[in-house]
Amino acid sequence: MSQYDVLCIGNAIVDIIAQCDEAFLTDNGIIKGAMNLIDAERAELLYSRMGPAIEASGGSAGNTAAGIASFGGRAAYFGKVSRDHLGDIFTHDIHAQGVAFDTAPLDGTPPTARSMIFVTPDGERSMNTYLGACVELGPDDVEADKASGAAVTYFEGYLWDPPLAKEAIRMTAAHAHAAGREVSMTLSDSFCVDRYRAEFLELMRSGTVDIVFANSHEIKSLYETSSFDDALAQIRKDCKIAAVTRSEKGSVIVRGDETVVIQATEIRELVDTTGAGDLYAAGFLFGYTQGRSLKDCGDLGSLAAGLVIQQIGPRPRQNLKREAEQAGLL
């Protein structure tokens, strides 16, 4: 029996979300739909130009941990914040969701990470992230009992940007595999894949990573192909399970020769795509650690993603367990 269903490891970030028009992105040199890494000075500039904003705890793997807890799963989290206003917000929110989060905070510098997220009328989000305290997450923050005690460890590809985090991930994966557990990752974004393609493929092919989450852009970037089918054929050979999301086309899950096609959840209105992939992973991993079929795992992921894109902010406001029960999935 595992102590936790899923241990999530990621950049602990507070999202500052505002709506804007296309011209704002152009005028401020923001790459639409991407996660742009910025320095402290750029963070201050963009913040000064933002319209009315909502502060919400985020960070890709943090959102996934919160989603798993909302389904009724047992989630733990490693991530670095500072002892400051945003760090207090992040810590409060993840504890309030029922996630075990015990990583020691920094004493104030660098400050807690923040991501200025600009949402255009089409619901697309463009992220501008100052990593701050995140870059200090390292091997000293690995809690061996949680690493060995979680059925699946899940980490975000974004962690490959700060070098110390790579060591922490490899150490956690070693603990997990030594205990007979599995390790999963999300490719995070196609620009992140461009930066670390060779390393991500090595993680998969070496068996360090068993389960991979990606969207159609990321998987095509990983294999440097414009063909989704070609990329899917290649990823089958490189990891145990791959779950690939395709926005309104739903998702495709592959395991060896097996292929499971999942329909997208019908939505009333697309408000903000922030957190869609994170919540898909939450539903999938919750189902997976409960021993459900790949079809059930995909349907749970699709439900959670469909709910979060109908609200502002990356963490579900509804109780996902209740929503899944009402949908006949639990």
Side-chain angles (χ1 to χ4, degrees):
M1 177 70 176
S2 56
Q3 182 185 5
Y4 297 102
D5 296 314
V6 186
L7 163 64
C8 298
I9 311 175
N11 289 325
I13 297 171
V14 175
D15 293 338
I16 304 170
I17 306 165
Q19 293 175 307
C20 75
D21 56 21
E22 300 282 346
F24 182 91
L25 301 183
T26 305
D27 293 346
N28 288 281
I30 296 168
I31 301 171
K32 184 177 179 178
M35 192 282 281
N36 309 279
L37 287 175
I38 59 174
D39 59 18
E41 188 179 356
R42 171 91 167 143
E44 290 293 333
L45 175 70
L46 289 178
Y47 187 65
S48 73
R49 294 179 177 175
M50 278 184 117
I54 295 169
E55 289 181 358
S57 292
S60 176
N63 299 337
T64 300
I68 289 162
S70 184
F71 273 113
R74 296 160 302 154
Y77 180 75
F78 296 168
K80 205 75 166 171
V81 297
S82 227
R83 294 185 199 276
D84 55 21
H85 171 62
L86 293 182
D88 291 345
I89 288 174
F90 186 93
T91 302
H92 168 270
D93 288 353
I94 203 160
H95 283 158
Q97 288 276 2
V99 176
F101 172 49
D102 302 299
T103 308
L106 295 175
D107 284 327
T109 52
T112 298
R114 70 285 315 265
S115 183
M116 265 73 72
I117 301 179
F118 297 96
V119 182
T120 38
D122 59 0
E124 186 63 78
R125 79 274 189 265
S126 305
M127 297 179 286
N128 302 267
T129 304
Y130 169 57
L131 288 176
C134 289
V135 301
E136 302 299 324
L137 181 74
D140 291 347
D141 295 305
V142 174
E143 299 164 58
D145 58 333
K146 289 187 174 76
S148 304
V152 177
T153 288
Y154 171 86
F155 69 91
E156 58 189 68
Y158 288 137
L159 280 177
W160 243 242
D161 284 314
L164 280 175
K166 294 184 187 185
E167 295 177 52
I169 294 295
R170 293 188 185 279
M171 182 184 292
T172 306
H175 283 304
H177 283 141
R181 313 300 195 182
E182 290 180 297
V183 176
S184 62
M185 75 174 291
T186 170
L187 297 185
S188 291
D189 116 353
S190 53
F191 294 91
C192 187
V193 174
D194 285 339
R195 292 194 290 274
Y196 304 110
R197 180 177 293 108
E199 290 179 72
F200 286 176
L201 287 169
E202 185 272 331
L203 285 171
M204 294 157 58
R205 291 167 178 168
S206 67
T208 303
V209 168
D210 306 290
I211 304 167
V212 175
F213 293 89
N215 65 28
S216 55
H217 302 296
E218 293 153 8
I219 191 177
K220 287 189 285 189
S221 173
L222 184 66
Y223 294 105
E224 298 181 275
T225 176
S226 58
S227 166
F228 176 76
D229 291 338
D230 287 352
L232 200 64
Q234 292 191 68
I235 203 167
R236 276 182 202 277
K237 298 180 284 192
D238 285 340
C239 60
K240 180 179 169 185
I241 296 173
V244 186
T245 57
R246 307 183 74 187
S247 300
E248 70 277 2
K249 294 180 182 176
S251 60
V252 182
I253 303 163
V254 294
R255 177 171 58 189
D257 293 333
E258 189 179 356
T259 304
V260 180
V261 178
I262 304 295
Q263 300 301 310
T265 299
E266 286 192 22
I267 63 170
R268 293 182 303 280
E269 180 191 12
L270 173 60
V271 175
D272 172 14
T273 58
T274 310
D278 307 333
L279 269 294
Y280 179 91
F284 185 100
L285 290 171
F286 172 73
Y288 187 75
T289 54
Q290 306 307 306
R292 305 295 291 264
S293 68
L294 290 184
K295 169 78 165 62
D296 288 349
C297 294
D299 285 340
L300 287 165
S302 191
L303 172 75
L307 289 170
V308 84
I309 63 175
Q310 296 181 78
Q311 63 172 54
I312 289 281
R315 296 193 180 173
R317 293 178 193 160
Q318 300 96 329
N319 179 290
L320 293 179
K321 181 178 183 182
R322 192 180 311 119
E323 294 288 338
E325 288 170 349
Q326 289 174 357
L329 298 176
L330 289 179

